[in-house]
């Protein structure tokens, strides 16, 4: 990372931490964003003349706090009797007079992932308030018109303010679905970046890196929780394979055919260490299982072969835990690798009886096509490839499927 | 912050109020709920007000259009669960309000909508 990128990263880290502090007290994310934007603007004009302060973060915070207090005083005069605002401002002043600034980003993430917030906007909201992404950038990554995305974000922030969503991290006993929603939002951000593995679109490429960054923040603040480590491990495993996912001509390369020499050993090593640390806490969860599956694939880099026994077992455990038909489909694919295509196809066909919704899922058809082809059932394979191709949005994956079909 | 807990009851819930065998238990459950909010011990967790409502068939709708009064029978919207009462509480934040809503007896049979009160 060069100096400019390091500075940008430091600013981004500060952004989320400062916004979390300001918003936690004002409870008004939009007002905190305005105050912080003013503070950053003031810094841009003041620092080149007077020099960068010793503690830029403290400088920015002091400036933003003044703006926020000014704004809330104006609001208070406009509507008298708002004792609550007075209280918030006093709390804010007391908290920061102490000198050490607490890190409230985690509370901010929990607020963004609150069940009172519409599900589809939780991830974008987190990206905006914790990382400072613009609505344009988020819209580009999630394939939503920037104006529409902007409106959704504004509505969500208004809801946080009007409904009185708190910014305190709830006690673990009260986490319920909210903790899972925080993890899911980070993974969704990663997924939005992952689906463009060539990195041709810088908006989305950056998103995968930022998701990993968010997971690091989460893991650093929840040291007693294994799932953030599991999530981080999972993403680093996937990230390690990024260079191998496309060939020189930009063609999709399935996991089985990837050149393990291209896998990034450093990321794999970190992913493995994180998973071990998570496993030591003896509280398995969805992301630890998913990371363990990727870890069992990664043994190919050392032993030349993925650990298919472990993969089948882990997918079974994941299916049990999540009830997800996708996990079951992956279990069937692993069975096919371990026990042969006939057993695999039987598992796939039993599964689609149970979950007819798989009929609209591209990977179901791609798996079925591959297994039929291996069993010499050319006609059935062709039909399944056609179904898979019709359901694939990524041109590189579509080209891969078309190539496979043409070789039947 | 003040929140209204809008309590949506099913037909069975409404019927319980007039049923000789069930009305004691029904009232006791809501009274317990009310007392547990009052007794939460923290000054800002308190009941501001509230009321139970008579069943939906007792409702009458009034509209005024072009100078004339239009009166029709029945509740405003004809849905399975109807507004059965309101609690007004004063708690720290939405999560505190949601946890009280969850403890409201009707949450396990009907539904409870949590709405912040506009105090401006």
């Amino acid at each position: 990372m060069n100096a400019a990128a390091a500075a940008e990263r430091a600013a981004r880290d500060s952004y989320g931490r400062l916004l979390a502090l300001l918003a936690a007290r004002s409870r008004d994310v939009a007002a905190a964003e305005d105050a912080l934007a003013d503070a950053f603007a003031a810094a841009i004009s003041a620092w080149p003349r007077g020099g960068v302060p010793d503690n830029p973060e403290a400088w920015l915070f002091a400036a933003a706090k003044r703006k926020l207090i000014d704004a809330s005083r104006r609001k208070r005069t406009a509507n008298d009797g708002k004792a609550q605002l007075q209280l918030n401002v006093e709390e804010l002043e007391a908290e920061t007079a102490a000198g050490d600034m607490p890190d409230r980003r985690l509370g901010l993430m929990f607020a963004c992932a609150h069940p009172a917030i519409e599900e589809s906007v939780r991830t974008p909201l987190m990206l905006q308030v914790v990382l400072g992404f613009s609505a344009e950038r988020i819209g580009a990554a999630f394939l939503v018109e920037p104006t529409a995305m902007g409106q959704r974000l504004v509505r969500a922030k208004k809801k946080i303010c009007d409904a009185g969503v708190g910014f305190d991290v709830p006690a673990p006993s009260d986490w319920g679905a909210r903790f899972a929603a925080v993890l899911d939002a980070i993974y969704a951000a990663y997924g939005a970046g992952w689906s463009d593995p060539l990195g041709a679109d810088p908006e989305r490429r950056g998103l995968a890196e930022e998701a990993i960054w968010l997971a690091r923040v989460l893991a650093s603040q929840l040291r007693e929780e294994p799932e953030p480590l599991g999530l981080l491990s999972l993403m680093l495993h996937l990230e390690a394979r990024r260079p191998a996912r496309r060939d020189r001509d930009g063609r999709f390369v399935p996991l089985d055919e990837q050149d393990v020499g291209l896998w990034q050993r450093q990321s794999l090593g970190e992913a493995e260490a994180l998973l071990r640390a998570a496993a030591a806490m003896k509280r398995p969860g969805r992301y630890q299982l998913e990371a363990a599956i990727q870890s069992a694939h990664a043994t190919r880099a050392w032993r030349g072969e993925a650990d298919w026994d472990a993969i089948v077992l882990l997918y079974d455990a994941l299916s049990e835990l999540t009830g997800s038909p996708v996990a079951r489909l992956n279990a069937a694919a692993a069975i096919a690798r371990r026990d042969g295509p006939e057993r695999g196809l039987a598992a796939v066909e039993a599964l689609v009886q149970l979950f007819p919704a798989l009929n609209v899922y591209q990977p179901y058809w791609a798996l079925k096509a591959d297994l039929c082809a291996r069993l010499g059932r050319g006609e059935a394979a062709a039909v399944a490839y056609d179904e898979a191709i019709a359901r694939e949005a990524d041109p590189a994956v579509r080209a891969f499927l078309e190539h496979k079909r043409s070789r039947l | 912050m003040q929140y209204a807990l809008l309590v949506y009851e099913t037909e069975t819930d409404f019927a319980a109020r007039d049923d000789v065998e069930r009305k004691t238990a029904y009232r006791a459950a809501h009274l317990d709920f009310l007392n547990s909010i009052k007794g939460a011990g923290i000054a800002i967790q308190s009941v501001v007000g509230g009321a139970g409502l008579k069943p939906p068939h007792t409702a009458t709708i009034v509209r005024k259009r072009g100078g004339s009064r239009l009166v029709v029978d029945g509740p405003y919207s004809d849905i399975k669960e109807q507004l059965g009462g309101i609690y007004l509480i004063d708690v720290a934040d939405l999560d505190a309000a949601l946890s009280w809503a969850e403890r409201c007896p009707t949450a396990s049979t009907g539904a409870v909508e949590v709405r912040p009160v506009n105090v401006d």
Side-chain angles (χ1 to χ4, degrees), chain A residues 326-340:
Chain A
V326 173
R328 287 177 208 276
L329 187 68
N330 288 326
I335 287 169
R337 282 304 305 263
R338 192 186 62 177
D339 304 332

Side-chain angles (χ1 to χ4, degrees), chain A residues 27 82 114 162-166 178, chain B residues 1 3 92-95 98 116 120:
Chain A
R27 279 206 183 155
K82 276 206 133 186
H114 198 283
D162 291 345
V165 173
R178 281 175 73 184
Chain B
M1 270 183 77
Y3 293 87
D93 58 22
L94 179 64
D95 281 300
L98 294 177
D120 281 347

Side-chain angles (χ1 to χ4, degrees), chain A residues 119-137:
Chain A
E119 199 175 338
S120 70
V121 81
R122 290 178 200 157
T123 301
L125 189 61
M126 199 182 282
L127 291 172
Q128 180 158 80
V129 301
V130 185
L131 296 173
F133 277 31
S134 67
E136 286 73 24
R137 193 165 175 201

Side-chain angles (χ1 to χ4, degrees), chain A residues 282-295:
Chain A
K282 300 199 185 307
R283 275 180 289 149
R286 179 201 155 184
Y287 287 110
Q288 290 171 76
L289 285 172
E290 294 214 23
I293 289 164
Q294 298 312 321
S295 167

Side-chain angles (χ1 to χ4, degrees), chain A residues 195-398:
Chain A
S195 56
D196 179 46
L198 257 195
D201 180 350
E203 304 289 355
R204 295 168 78 187
R205 172 69 204 257
L207 213 52
E209 288 166 9
E210 297 305 343
I212 289 172
W213 176 251
L214 277 179
R216 287 192 194 281
V217 171
L218 194 66
S220 72
Q221 295 203 18
L222 294 174
R223 294 174 189 280
E224 309 299 313
E225 286 303 316
E227 279 290 90
L229 299 178
L231 173 63
L232 188 53
S233 171
L234 168 63
M235 294 192 295
L236 288 172
H237 264 299
L238 297 174
E239 203 60 15
R241 296 192 201 123
R242 186 186 284 279
R245 284 189 82 217
R246 298 282 147 123
D247 67 13
R248 275 203 201 101
D249 304 317
R251 281 192 297 257
F252 172 77
V253 183
L255 179 55
D256 275 2
E257 293 164 25
Q258 285 174 14
D259 174 3
V260 299
L262 294 174
W263 291 358
Q264 291 170 333
R265 298 302 168 109
Q266 200 186 337
S267 292
L268 285 183
E270 193 190 351
E272 291 292 302
L274 287 163
L275 187 56
R276 275 197 300 277
M281 297 184 205
K282 300 199 185 307
R283 275 180 289 149
R286 179 201 155 184
Y287 287 110
Q288 290 171 76
L289 285 172
E290 294 214 23
I293 289 164
Q294 298 312 321
S295 167
H297 279 294
T299 59
R300 215 171 97 214
W302 295 284
R303 286 195 248 145
E305 181 63 31
D307 186 348
W308 290 106
D309 277 333
I311 294 170
V312 170
L313 277 174
L314 288 163
Y315 270 124
D316 280 344
L318 190 62
S319 310
E320 283 297 309
L321 187 74
T322 62
S324 149
V326 173
R328 287 177 208 276
L329 187 68
N330 288 326
I335 287 169
R337 282 304 305 263
R338 192 186 62 177
D339 304 332
E342 201 155 344
R343 297 279 290 276
L345 190 59
V348 169
E349 280 171 347
L351 198 59
V352 79
Q353 297 294 317
L354 227 61
F355 299 100
L358 285 174
N359 274 309
V360 296
Y361 188 57
Q362 181 274 113
Y364 159 72
W365 289 108
L367 176 60
K368 186 170 173 174
D370 182 54
L371 297 177
C372 287
R374 282 172 203 267
L375 291 166
R377 300 182 197 168
E379 213 165 299
V383 171
Y385 272 126
D386 287 341
E387 296 279 357
I389 290 160
R391 288 176 172 81
E392 179 54 57
D394 184 333
V397 177
R398 207 161 51 227

